[in-house]
mmCIF file of all heavy atoms in Angstrom:
data_model
loop_
_atom_site.group_PDB
_atom_site.id
_atom_site.type_symbol
_atom_site.label_atom_id
_atom_site.label_comp_id
_atom_site.label_asym_id
_atom_site.label_seq_id
_atom_site.Cartn_x
_atom_site.Cartn_y
_atom_site.Cartn_z
ATOM 1 N N ASN Y 1 3.349 4.304 10.856
ATOM 2 C CA ASN Y 1 4.695 3.955 11.293
ATOM 3 C C ASN Y 1 5.741 4.463 10.308
ATOM 4 O O ASN Y 1 6.791 4.983 10.706
ATOM 5 C CB ASN Y 1 4.808 2.440 11.462
ATOM 6 C CG ASN Y 1 6.073 2.038 12.190
ATOM 7 O OD1 ASN Y 1 6.421 2.637 13.205
ATOM 8 N ND2 ASN Y 1 6.777 1.052 11.678
ATOM 9 N N SER Y 2 5.454 4.334 9.009
ATOM 10 C CA SER Y 2 6.395 4.837 7.997
ATOM 11 C C SER Y 2 6.459 6.356 7.998
ATOM 12 O O SER Y 2 7.537 6.947 7.887
ATOM 13 C CB SER Y 2 5.986 4.328 6.609
ATOM 14 O OG SER Y 2 6.220 2.947 6.482
ATOM 15 N N LEU Y 3 5.311 7.008 8.108
ATOM 16 C CA LEU Y 3 5.297 8.470 8.120
ATOM 17 C C LEU Y 3 5.980 9.013 9.367
ATOM 18 O O LEU Y 3 6.708 10.011 9.303
ATOM 19 C CB LEU Y 3 3.854 8.972 8.050
ATOM 20 C CG LEU Y 3 3.120 8.802 6.720
ATOM 21 C CD1 LEU Y 3 1.651 9.157 6.869
ATOM 22 C CD2 LEU Y 3 3.764 9.663 5.641
ATOM 23 N N ASN Y 4 5.760 8.380 10.477
ATOM 24 C CA ASN Y 4 6.340 8.855 11.733
ATOM 25 C C ASN Y 4 7.853 8.682 11.761
ATOM 26 O O ASN Y 4 8.546 9.373 12.512
ATOM 27 C CB ASN Y 4 5.707 8.097 12.899
ATOM 28 C CG ASN Y 4 6.019 8.720 14.233
ATOM 29 O OD1 ASN Y 4 5.881 9.930 14.422
ATOM 30 N ND2 ASN Y 4 6.448 7.901 15.186
ATOM 31 N N ALA Y 5 8.371 7.750 10.942
ATOM 32 C CA ALA Y 5 9.811 7.501 10.919
ATOM 33 C C ALA Y 5 10.566 8.460 9.998
ATOM 34 O O ALA Y 5 11.797 8.447 9.971
ATOM 35 C CB ALA Y 5 10.080 6.059 10.481
ATOM 36 N N ILE Y 6 9.852 9.295 9.254
ATOM 37 C CA ILE Y 6 10.512 10.233 8.345
ATOM 38 C C ILE Y 6 11.211 11.335 9.143
ATOM 39 O O ILE Y 6 10.621 11.931 10.048
ATOM 40 C CB ILE Y 6 9.482 10.856 7.370
ATOM 41 C CG1 ILE Y 6 8.868 9.757 6.485
ATOM 42 C CG2 ILE Y 6 10.130 11.922 6.499
ATOM 43 C CD1 ILE Y 6 7.780 10.268 5.568
ATOM 44 N N ASP Y 7 12.440 11.579 8.808
ATOM 45 C CA ASP Y 7 13.212 12.624 9.482
ATOM 46 C C ASP Y 7 12.631 13.989 9.110
ATOM 47 O O ASP Y 7 12.536 14.343 7.929
ATOM 48 C CB ASP Y 7 14.683 12.535 9.050
ATOM 49 C CG ASP Y 7 15.590 13.418 9.907
ATOM 50 O OD1 ASP Y 7 15.059 14.285 10.642
ATOM 51 O OD2 ASP Y 7 16.817 13.237 9.840
ATOM 52 N N GLU Y 8 12.241 14.760 10.113
ATOM 53 C CA GLU Y 8 11.637 16.072 9.863
ATOM 54 C C GLU Y 8 12.618 17.038 9.207
ATOM 55 O O GLU Y 8 12.201 18.002 8.558
ATOM 56 C CB GLU Y 8 11.107 16.658 11.165
ATOM 57 C CG GLU Y 8 9.937 15.884 11.757
ATOM 58 C CD GLU Y 8 9.356 16.579 12.971
ATOM 59 O OE1 GLU Y 8 9.863 17.673 13.306
ATOM 60 O OE2 GLU Y 8 8.409 16.044 13.575
ATOM 61 N N GLU Y 9 13.917 16.779 9.370
ATOM 62 C CA GLU Y 9 14.901 17.653 8.735
ATOM 63 C C GLU Y 9 14.830 17.544 7.214
ATOM 64 O O GLU Y 9 15.118 18.517 6.506
ATOM 65 C CB GLU Y 9 16.301 17.293 9.224
ATOM 66 C CG GLU Y 9 16.525 17.615 10.700
ATOM 67 C CD GLU Y 9 17.958 17.353 11.124
ATOM 68 O OE1 GLU Y 9 18.751 16.922 10.262
ATOM 69 O OE2 GLU Y 9 18.280 17.596 12.307
ATOM 70 N N LEU Y 10 14.451 16.369 6.698
ATOM 71 C CA LEU Y 10 14.300 16.229 5.248
ATOM 72 C C LEU Y 10 13.148 17.087 4.740
ATOM 73 O O LEU Y 10 13.236 17.714 3.685
ATOM 74 C CB LEU Y 10 14.070 14.761 4.887
ATOM 75 C CG LEU Y 10 15.209 13.783 5.210
ATOM 76 C CD1 LEU Y 10 14.786 12.357 4.904
ATOM 77 C CD2 LEU Y 10 16.453 14.155 4.407
ATOM 78 N N ILE Y 11 12.069 17.100 5.507
ATOM 79 C CA ILE Y 11 10.924 17.927 5.119
ATOM 80 C C ILE Y 11 11.283 19.404 5.211
ATOM 81 O O ILE Y 11 10.963 20.207 4.318
ATOM 82 C CB ILE Y 11 9.711 17.598 6.003
ATOM 83 C CG1 ILE Y 11 9.339 16.121 5.855
ATOM 84 C CG2 ILE Y 11 8.534 18.493 5.661
ATOM 85 C CD1 ILE Y 11 8.212 15.674 6.765
ATOM 86 N N SER Y 12 11.973 19.779 6.268
ATOM 87 C CA SER Y 12 12.383 21.179 6.425
ATOM 88 C C SER Y 12 13.338 21.595 5.319
ATOM 89 O O SER Y 12 13.238 22.718 4.794
ATOM 90 C CB SER Y 12 13.053 21.362 7.792
ATOM 91 O OG SER Y 12 12.175 21.033 8.844
ATOM 92 N N ALA Y 13 14.249 20.708 4.930
ATOM 93 C CA ALA Y 13 15.193 21.027 3.860
ATOM 94 C C ALA Y 13 14.468 21.254 2.543
ATOM 95 O O ALA Y 13 14.807 22.165 1.773
ATOM 96 C CB ALA Y 13 16.213 19.901 3.711
ATOM 97 N N ALA Y 14 13.452 20.425 2.265
ATOM 98 C CA ALA Y 14 12.680 20.593 1.036
ATOM 99 C C ALA Y 14 11.948 21.930 1.019
ATOM 100 O O ALA Y 14 11.913 22.624 -0.005
ATOM 101 C CB ALA Y 14 11.693 19.440 0.881
ATOM 102 N N ARG Y 15 11.398 22.321 2.170
ATOM 103 C CA ARG Y 15 10.689 23.598 2.227
ATOM 104 C C ARG Y 15 11.658 24.773 2.113
ATOM 105 O O ARG Y 15 11.339 25.795 1.464
ATOM 106 C CB ARG Y 15 9.906 23.694 3.541
ATOM 107 C CG ARG Y 15 8.848 22.617 3.736
ATOM 108 C CD ARG Y 15 7.828 22.606 2.586
ATOM 109 N NE ARG Y 15 7.126 23.856 2.482
ATOM 110 C CZ ARG Y 15 6.006 24.142 3.162
ATOM 111 N NH1 ARG Y 15 5.490 23.223 3.971
ATOM 112 N NH2 ARG Y 15 5.405 25.302 3.015
ATOM 113 N N VAL Y 16 12.854 24.641 2.701
ATOM 114 C CA VAL Y 16 13.856 25.710 2.618
ATOM 115 C C VAL Y 16 14.327 25.889 1.175
ATOM 116 O O VAL Y 16 14.586 27.017 0.712
ATOM 117 C CB VAL Y 16 15.050 25.399 3.541
ATOM 118 C CG1 VAL Y 16 16.215 26.345 3.260
ATOM 119 C CG2 VAL Y 16 14.623 25.510 5.005
ATOM 120 N N LEU Y 17 14.411 24.788 0.441
ATOM 121 C CA LEU Y 17 14.852 24.850 -0.954
ATOM 122 C C LEU Y 17 13.768 25.335 -1.905
ATOM 123 O O LEU Y 17 13.985 25.405 -3.108
ATOM 124 C CB LEU Y 17 15.341 23.473 -1.405
ATOM 125 C CG LEU Y 17 16.626 22.978 -0.725
ATOM 126 C CD1 LEU Y 17 16.936 21.553 -1.135
ATOM 127 C CD2 LEU Y 17 17.798 23.910 -1.081
ATOM 128 N N GLY Y 18 12.610 25.661 -1.361
ATOM 129 C CA GLY Y 18 11.577 26.277 -2.176
ATOM 130 C C GLY Y 18 10.438 25.373 -2.586
ATOM 131 O O GLY Y 18 9.552 25.808 -3.330
ATOM 132 N N ALA Y 19 10.426 24.139 -2.137
ATOM 133 C CA ALA Y 19 9.347 23.216 -2.502
ATOM 134 C C ALA Y 19 8.073 23.594 -1.766
ATOM 135 O O ALA Y 19 8.103 23.900 -0.571
ATOM 136 C CB ALA Y 19 9.738 21.775 -2.175
ATOM 137 N N SER Y 20 6.969 23.556 -2.473
ATOM 138 C CA SER Y 20 5.690 23.817 -1.833
ATOM 139 C C SER Y 20 5.292 22.623 -0.979
ATOM 140 O O SER Y 20 5.940 21.571 -0.984
ATOM 141 C CB SER Y 20 4.610 24.075 -2.892
ATOM 142 O OG SER Y 20 4.417 22.910 -3.696
ATOM 143 N N GLN Y 21 4.186 22.780 -0.246
ATOM 144 C CA GLN Y 21 3.739 21.681 0.608
ATOM 145 C C GLN Y 21 3.370 20.452 -0.219
ATOM 146 O O GLN Y 21 3.695 19.326 0.148
ATOM 147 C CB GLN Y 21 2.541 22.134 1.445
ATOM 148 C CG GLN Y 21 2.064 21.088 2.448
ATOM 149 C CD GLN Y 21 0.976 21.625 3.365
ATOM 150 O OE1 GLN Y 21 0.589 22.790 3.272
ATOM 151 N NE2 GLN Y 21 0.468 20.776 4.241
ATOM 152 N N TRP Y 22 2.695 20.676 -1.352
ATOM 153 C CA TRP Y 22 2.317 19.555 -2.208
ATOM 154 C C TRP Y 22 3.542 18.933 -2.868
ATOM 155 O O TRP Y 22 3.616 17.711 -3.022
ATOM 156 C CB TRP Y 22 1.322 20.017 -3.269
ATOM 157 C CG TRP Y 22 -0.025 20.334 -2.717
ATOM 158 C CD1 TRP Y 22 -0.574 21.569 -2.533
ATOM 159 C CD2 TRP Y 22 -0.995 19.399 -2.231
ATOM 160 N NE1 TRP Y 22 -1.818 21.474 -1.981
ATOM 161 C CE2 TRP Y 22 -2.115 20.150 -1.785
ATOM 162 C CE3 TRP Y 22 -1.026 18.009 -2.134
ATOM 163 C CZ2 TRP Y 22 -3.251 19.545 -1.255
ATOM 164 C CZ3 TRP Y 22 -2.166 17.402 -1.604
ATOM 165 C CH2 TRP Y 22 -3.261 18.169 -1.177
ATOM 166 N N ARG Y 23 4.490 19.761 -3.256
ATOM 167 C CA ARG Y 23 5.721 19.245 -3.859
ATOM 168 C C ARG Y 23 6.524 18.433 -2.841
ATOM 169 O O ARG Y 23 7.088 17.385 -3.178
ATOM 170 C CB ARG Y 23 6.561 20.416 -4.383
ATOM 171 C CG ARG Y 23 7.894 20.019 -4.992
ATOM 172 C CD ARG Y 23 7.710 19.174 -6.224
ATOM 173 N NE ARG Y 23 8.993 18.854 -6.838
ATOM 174 C CZ ARG Y 23 9.148 17.983 -7.846
ATOM 175 N NH1 ARG Y 23 8.088 17.372 -8.342
ATOM 176 N NH2 ARG Y 23 10.344 17.755 -8.336
ATOM 177 N N THR Y 24 6.559 18.901 -1.619
ATOM 178 C CA THR Y 24 7.248 18.161 -0.563
ATOM 179 C C THR Y 24 6.576 16.824 -0.308
ATOM 180 O O THR Y 24 7.238 15.798 -0.120
ATOM 181 C CB THR Y 24 7.270 18.993 0.731
ATOM 182 O OG1 THR Y 24 7.898 20.250 0.480
ATOM 183 C CG2 THR Y 24 8.005 18.257 1.832
ATOM 184 N N LEU Y 25 5.241 16.829 -0.321
ATOM 185 C CA LEU Y 25 4.502 15.590 -0.120
ATOM 186 C C LEU Y 25 4.789 14.592 -1.239
ATOM 187 O O LEU Y 25 5.015 13.406 -0.974
ATOM 188 C CB LEU Y 25 2.999 15.892 -0.053
ATOM 189 C CG LEU Y 25 2.063 14.687 0.008
ATOM 190 C CD1 LEU Y 25 2.308 13.875 1.274
ATOM 191 C CD2 LEU Y 25 0.603 15.132 -0.071
ATOM 192 N N ALA Y 26 4.808 15.077 -2.484
ATOM 193 C CA ALA Y 26 4.982 14.176 -3.626
ATOM 194 C C ALA Y 26 6.421 13.698 -3.774
ATOM 195 O O ALA Y 26 6.660 12.546 -4.170
ATOM 196 C CB ALA Y 26 4.533 14.884 -4.906
ATOM 197 N N ALA Y 27 7.390 14.557 -3.470
ATOM 198 C CA ALA Y 27 8.790 14.220 -3.739
ATOM 199 C C ALA Y 27 9.537 13.674 -2.526
ATOM 200 O O ALA Y 27 10.561 13.001 -2.694
ATOM 201 C CB ALA Y 27 9.528 15.458 -4.270
ATOM 202 N N VAL Y 28 9.060 13.957 -1.328
ATOM 203 C CA VAL Y 28 9.785 13.536 -0.125
ATOM 204 C C VAL Y 28 8.951 12.582 0.728
ATOM 205 O O VAL Y 28 9.360 11.451 0.996
ATOM 206 C CB VAL Y 28 10.206 14.763 0.711
ATOM 207 C CG1 VAL Y 28 10.925 14.313 1.983
ATOM 208 C CG2 VAL Y 28 11.095 15.685 -0.105
ATOM 209 N N VAL Y 29 7.779 13.055 1.157
ATOM 210 C CA VAL Y 29 6.991 12.294 2.130
ATOM 211 C C VAL Y 29 6.465 10.998 1.526
ATOM 212 O O VAL Y 29 6.628 9.910 2.101
ATOM 213 C CB VAL Y 29 5.832 13.147 2.669
ATOM 214 C CG1 VAL Y 29 4.957 12.329 3.619
ATOM 215 C CG2 VAL Y 29 6.378 14.376 3.383
ATOM 216 N N PHE Y 30 5.827 11.093 0.368
ATOM 217 C CA PHE Y 30 5.208 9.894 -0.221
ATOM 218 C C PHE Y 30 6.226 8.810 -0.554
ATOM 219 O O PHE Y 30 6.004 7.634 -0.213
ATOM 220 C CB PHE Y 30 4.406 10.275 -1.460
ATOM 221 C CG PHE Y 30 3.686 9.111 -2.081
ATOM 222 C CD1 PHE Y 30 2.500 8.643 -1.530
ATOM 223 C CD2 PHE Y 30 4.194 8.469 -3.207
ATOM 224 C CE1 PHE Y 30 1.841 7.559 -2.089
ATOM 225 C CE2 PHE Y 30 3.539 7.393 -3.766
ATOM 226 C CZ PHE Y 30 2.358 6.935 -3.205
ATOM 227 N N PRO Y 31 7.359 9.118 -1.220
ATOM 228 C CA PRO Y 31 8.325 8.041 -1.498
ATOM 229 C C PRO Y 31 8.870 7.377 -0.229
ATOM 230 O O PRO Y 31 9.071 6.157 -0.209
ATOM 231 C CB PRO Y 31 9.440 8.766 -2.267
ATOM 232 C CG PRO Y 31 8.772 9.953 -2.870
ATOM 233 C CD PRO Y 31 7.755 10.384 -1.866
ATOM 234 N N LEU Y 32 9.088 8.162 0.813
ATOM 235 C CA LEU Y 32 9.627 7.585 2.042
ATOM 236 C C LEU Y 32 8.579 6.763 2.803
ATOM 237 O O LEU Y 32 8.938 5.898 3.607
ATOM 238 C CB LEU Y 32 10.161 8.691 2.947
ATOM 239 C CG LEU Y 32 11.405 9.428 2.425
ATOM 240 C CD1 LEU Y 32 11.793 10.558 3.364
ATOM 241 C CD2 LEU Y 32 12.572 8.460 2.254
ATOM 242 N N SER Y 33 7.309 7.035 2.559
ATOM 243 C CA SER Y 33 6.249 6.276 3.230
ATOM 244 C C SER Y 33 5.765 5.098 2.407
ATOM 245 O O SER Y 33 4.859 4.370 2.831
ATOM 246 C CB SER Y 33 5.059 7.197 3.533
ATOM 247 O OG SER Y 33 4.475 7.679 2.329
ATOM 248 N N LEU Y 34 6.357 4.895 1.241
ATOM 249 C CA LEU Y 34 5.904 3.830 0.348
ATOM 250 C C LEU Y 34 5.990 2.434 0.973
ATOM 251 O O LEU Y 34 5.099 1.606 0.745
ATOM 252 C CB LEU Y 34 6.693 3.880 -0.959
ATOM 253 C CG LEU Y 34 6.134 3.070 -2.133
ATOM 254 C CD1 LEU Y 34 4.717 3.526 -2.456
ATOM 255 C CD2 LEU Y 34 7.026 3.204 -3.360
ATOM 256 N N PRO Y 35 7.038 2.102 1.754
ATOM 257 C CA PRO Y 35 7.055 0.761 2.384
ATOM 258 C C PRO Y 35 5.824 0.487 3.239
ATOM 259 O O PRO Y 35 5.246 -0.604 3.169
ATOM 260 C CB PRO Y 35 8.329 0.799 3.223
ATOM 261 C CG PRO Y 35 9.223 1.761 2.520
ATOM 262 C CD PRO Y 35 8.308 2.819 1.990
ATOM 263 N N GLY Y 36 5.410 1.459 4.037
ATOM 264 C CA GLY Y 36 4.216 1.266 4.850
ATOM 265 C C GLY Y 36 2.968 1.150 4.006
ATOM 266 O O GLY Y 36 2.057 0.369 4.326
ATOM 267 N N LEU Y 37 2.906 1.893 2.916
ATOM 268 C CA LEU Y 37 1.750 1.846 2.024
ATOM 269 C C LEU Y 37 1.643 0.479 1.354
ATOM 270 O O LEU Y 37 0.550 -0.094 1.244
ATOM 271 C CB LEU Y 37 1.869 2.955 0.982
ATOM 272 C CG LEU Y 37 0.612 3.283 0.175
ATOM 273 C CD1 LEU Y 37 -0.446 3.889 1.074
ATOM 274 C CD2 LEU Y 37 0.948 4.246 -0.962
ATOM 275 N N VAL Y 38 2.772 -0.048 0.909
ATOM 276 C CA VAL Y 38 2.778 -1.363 0.259
ATOM 277 C C VAL Y 38 2.393 -2.455 1.256
ATOM 278 O O VAL Y 38 1.594 -3.349 0.949
ATOM 279 C CB VAL Y 38 4.160 -1.648 -0.354
ATOM 280 C CG1 VAL Y 38 4.239 -3.077 -0.873
ATOM 281 C CG2 VAL Y 38 4.453 -0.663 -1.484
ATOM 282 N N ALA Y 39 2.969 -2.401 2.451
ATOM 283 C CA ALA Y 39 2.635 -3.394 3.474
ATOM 284 C C ALA Y 39 1.157 -3.334 3.836
ATOM 285 O O ALA Y 39 0.495 -4.368 3.985
ATOM 286 C CB ALA Y 39 3.495 -3.174 4.708
ATOM 287 N N ALA Y 40 0.615 -2.119 3.976
ATOM 288 C CA ALA Y 40 -0.799 -1.969 4.294
ATOM 289 C C ALA Y 40 -1.670 -2.523 3.180
ATOM 290 O O ALA Y 40 -2.675 -3.200 3.435
ATOM 291 C CB ALA Y 40 -1.119 -0.493 4.538
ATOM 292 N N GLY Y 41 -1.292 -2.244 1.934
ATOM 293 C CA GLY Y 41 -2.056 -2.763 0.803
ATOM 294 C C GLY Y 41 -2.063 -4.279 0.766
ATOM 295 O O GLY Y 41 -3.084 -4.907 0.473
ATOM 296 N N LEU Y 42 -0.929 -4.873 1.068
ATOM 297 C CA LEU Y 42 -0.827 -6.333 1.076
ATOM 298 C C LEU Y 42 -1.732 -6.935 2.151
ATOM 299 O O LEU Y 42 -2.466 -7.902 1.901
ATOM 300 C CB LEU Y 42 0.629 -6.736 1.322
ATOM 301 C CG LEU Y 42 0.939 -8.238 1.301
ATOM 302 C CD1 LEU Y 42 0.681 -8.814 -0.075
ATOM 303 C CD2 LEU Y 42 2.390 -8.475 1.712
ATOM 304 N N ILE Y 43 -1.700 -6.361 3.337
ATOM 305 C CA ILE Y 43 -2.514 -6.872 4.445
ATOM 306 C C ILE Y 43 -4.001 -6.741 4.127
ATOM 307 O O ILE Y 43 -4.784 -7.695 4.289
ATOM 308 C CB ILE Y 43 -2.172 -6.131 5.745
ATOM 309 C CG1 ILE Y 43 -0.727 -6.424 6.158
ATOM 310 C CG2 ILE Y 43 -3.133 -6.518 6.856
ATOM 311 C CD1 ILE Y 43 -0.242 -5.560 7.298
ATOM 312 N N VAL Y 44 -4.413 -5.565 3.675
ATOM 313 C CA VAL Y 44 -5.829 -5.318 3.417
ATOM 314 C C VAL Y 44 -6.327 -6.194 2.272
ATOM 315 O O VAL Y 44 -7.443 -6.745 2.339
ATOM 316 C CB VAL Y 44 -6.071 -3.828 3.112
ATOM 317 C CG1 VAL Y 44 -7.508 -3.596 2.664
ATOM 318 C CG2 VAL Y 44 -5.764 -2.981 4.331
ATOM 319 N N PHE Y 45 -5.525 -6.358 1.225
ATOM 320 C CA PHE Y 45 -5.973 -7.169 0.094
ATOM 321 C C PHE Y 45 -6.200 -8.618 0.506
ATOM 322 O O PHE Y 45 -7.212 -9.226 0.137
ATOM 323 C CB PHE Y 45 -4.940 -7.106 -1.034
ATOM 324 C CG PHE Y 45 -5.268 -8.028 -2.180
ATOM 325 C CD1 PHE Y 45 -6.231 -7.681 -3.115
ATOM 326 C CD2 PHE Y 45 -4.629 -9.257 -2.316
ATOM 327 C CE1 PHE Y 45 -6.558 -8.530 -4.161
ATOM 328 C CE2 PHE Y 45 -4.939 -10.110 -3.356
ATOM 329 C CZ PHE Y 45 -5.904 -9.744 -4.279
ATOM 330 N N ILE Y 46 -5.280 -9.189 1.268
ATOM 331 C CA ILE Y 46 -5.420 -10.584 1.697
ATOM 332 C C ILE Y 46 -6.671 -10.748 2.558
ATOM 333 O O ILE Y 46 -7.447 -11.705 2.391
ATOM 334 C CB ILE Y 46 -4.167 -11.033 2.467
ATOM 335 C CG1 ILE Y 46 -2.961 -11.092 1.519
ATOM 336 C CG2 ILE Y 46 -4.385 -12.391 3.114
ATOM 337 C CD1 ILE Y 46 -1.660 -11.412 2.221
ATOM 338 N N LEU Y 47 -6.894 -9.814 3.477
ATOM 339 C CA LEU Y 47 -8.061 -9.908 4.353
ATOM 340 C C LEU Y 47 -9.360 -9.696 3.587
ATOM 341 O O LEU Y 47 -10.348 -10.415 3.802
ATOM 342 C CB LEU Y 47 -7.949 -8.879 5.482
ATOM 343 C CG LEU Y 47 -6.815 -9.085 6.486
ATOM 344 C CD1 LEU Y 47 -6.742 -7.902 7.449
ATOM 345 C CD2 LEU Y 47 -7.004 -10.380 7.262
#
């Protein structure tokens, strides 16, 4: 849900500015998906 909500224009802008795929993942995709990651971790840990 968090990954799907990321605006693709942000990813495209990062690639246009010269960021590699891994750099885009680390600097754009992962920080924006952190809320979903934290929520998932909380749910799984409790269960």
Side-chain angles (χ1 to χ4, degrees):
N1 192 45
S2 289
L3 289 172
N4 193 48
I6 297 176
D7 191 346
E8 293 186 2
E9 292 185 0
L10 297 175
I11 300 176
S12 300
R15 299 303 299 272
V16 169
L17 293 174
S20 63
Q21 184 174 359
W22 289 106
R23 178 64 177 171
T24 303
L25 174 63
V28 178
V29 177
F30 183 79
L32 292 177
S33 64
L34 194 58
L37 194 67
V38 173
L42 183 64
I43 295 171
V44 173
F45 174 78
I46 292 175
L47 294 174

